[in-house]
Amino acid sequence: MITIRAFKFPKWLKGFYQTAIWDFSLNATEKNSIYLTFDDGPNPITTPWILDILGQYNAKATFFCLGNNVEEHTSLYQNIIEQGHSIGNHTMHHLHGWRTRTKDYVQDVIAAAEHIDSHLFRPPYGKIKKKQLNQLKELGYTTVFWSHITYDFDKSLSTEKRMRKTNEAIFPGAILVFHDSEKAFAQIKIELPKLMEEWARMGYTFAAIPTS
Ligand SMILES: [Zn+2]
């Protein structure tokens, strides 16, 4: 069986969602910044480990949290903020936008906002209807997609291939998706330190997505 993985979005889709952010290549806060993002947490195993490694590199990042997980692990959510990282909303229940009525989707984001204080929003799976995006925009949310998703949750992809694909996707202003989920932990534990070491050596710094 052939598995097709979309590490990047096609160009036409970027035109379709014009108000969304894909990367910061034109307005990186610093010239050599890259933007690491971590979705689906906070998680008691993975998130503290990631915070620790980010600290070692004096790196800032962005965590797109699930409302459900913040409710359960509020102190981890507070730790992320205290360490100077940005937070984003990733819905309450990890909804798939294409399969969810717009009203229910927007309600789920609003429910997550009870726990998550941010106007940054990332759609789970990158799947969101234009109507949903527009309604969230009207509510003040900025939708943040990515320039590269690492597939760190995918155990069938080799470490070597995933790291090569990720390294190829690096440019000033790149937005990369990792996951602070239990499923991704075995992979990122091995790969993230190596990747960050290499990028730091290349002169990149790690910035959080600005929230204002
Ligand atoms: Zn997600």
Side-chain angles (χ1 to χ4, degrees), residues 81-150:
I81 295 169
E82 277 159 22
Q83 295 182 33
H85 305 293
S86 294
I87 293 282
N89 185 322
H90 195 48
T91 75
M92 192 73 186
H93 300 97
H94 211 261
L95 296 185
H96 189 302
W98 295 359
R99 298 179 193 151
T100 309
R101 290 190 314 170
T102 294
K103 191 169 159 257
D104 297 338
Y105 193 80
V106 171
Q107 272 311 318
D108 205 65
V109 176
I110 291 170
E114 298 265 317
H115 309 281
I116 299 164
D117 182 18
S118 175
H119 72 274
L120 299 177
F121 174 70
R122 171 168 286 159
Y125 316 100
K127 305 285 200 257
I128 182 168
K129 294 175 191 163
K130 196 162 183 176
K131 199 172 166 193
Q132 294 164 345
L133 189 142
N134 287 344
Q135 287 199 10
L136 290 175
K137 173 102 187 137
E138 276 169 29
L139 290 171
Y141 288 96
T142 302
T143 295
V144 182
F145 289 101
W146 51 82
S147 57
H148 181 79
I149 184 162
T150 59

Side-chain angles (χ1 to χ4, degrees), residues 39-40 66 90 94 123-125 179:
D39 290 5
D40 298 358
L66 289 171
H90 195 48
H94 211 261
Y125 316 100
H179 293 83

Side-chain angles (χ1 to χ4, degrees), residues 183-196:
K183 214 160 99 180
F185 189 48
Q187 289 74 252
I188 58 168
K189 207 163 63 172
I190 295 165
E191 298 165 21
L192 188 62
K194 290 183 185 163
L195 292 167
M196 288 185 75

